[in-house]
Amino acid sequence: MSFEEEMEELESAEDFLQYFELEYDQRVVHVNRLHILQRFHDYLQKAGDSMPDDEEAKRAVYSRLLMRAYQDFVESDAQTEKVFKVFSMGQPQTAFVSLSDIKT
């Protein structure tokens, strides 16, 4: 299997961390798994054009970026990191709808 094919088989944050043989605290992953994967995805997108063609070099970059994404949530938390839009929206939004705008 190629590196890309192996990556397509991985599903969970634990799968990725185990694939790259990275040590991790299950408690951190349990609480932040989606955030870690989204941050990893974001880091990969930023690396985009500068990603090496060689599979071993690419594997090393992926491993480093995954560890960086995981470490973000070891040192911080989801609310502080604001990976998902819901965390960066700030205060709840309110809207006014007048009675004349409501049609039955």
Side-chain angles (χ1 to χ4, degrees):
M1 282 178 98
S2 71
F3 176 65
E4 283 80 17
E5 291 171 332
E6 291 174 346
M7 292 297 294
E8 288 178 16
E9 295 294 316
L10 305 176
E11 295 179 357
S12 69
E14 290 89 345
D15 289 346
F16 282 91
L17 290 160
Q18 290 167 5
Y19 175 82
F20 289 106
E21 299 178 353
L22 301 174
E23 290 186 29
Y24 64 94
D25 181 338
Q26 181 59 46
R27 293 171 296 184
V28 172
V29 175
H30 180 73
V31 174
N32 298 294
R33 66 175 35 94
L34 295 177
H35 301 279
I36 292 167
L37 289 176
Q38 182 62 49
R39 179 62 57 87
F40 179 44
H41 176 265
D42 295 345
Y43 286 155
L44 289 172
Q45 277 192 318
K46 287 180 185 174
D49 294 336
S50 64
M51 191 64 68
D53 291 328
D54 176 68
E55 278 198 7
E56 285 306 310
K58 187 182 288 188
R59 189 181 312 268
V61 171
Y62 272 58
S63 180
R64 182 177 52 80
L65 294 177
L66 178 59
M67 180 50 80
R68 183 174 164 200
Y70 166 76
Q71 202 62 40
D72 288 347
F73 296 94
V74 169
E75 297 169 1
S76 188
D77 59 42
Q79 195 166 12
T80 303
E81 292 298 315
K82 297 181 182 352
V83 173
F84 294 106
K85 183 179 178 182
V86 69
F87 289 114
S88 60
M89 289 174 54
Q91 297 297 320
Q93 305 296 311
T94 58
F96 175 77
V97 178
S98 70
L99 289 176
S100 62
D101 290 340
I102 300 175
K103 298 183 180 178
T104 57

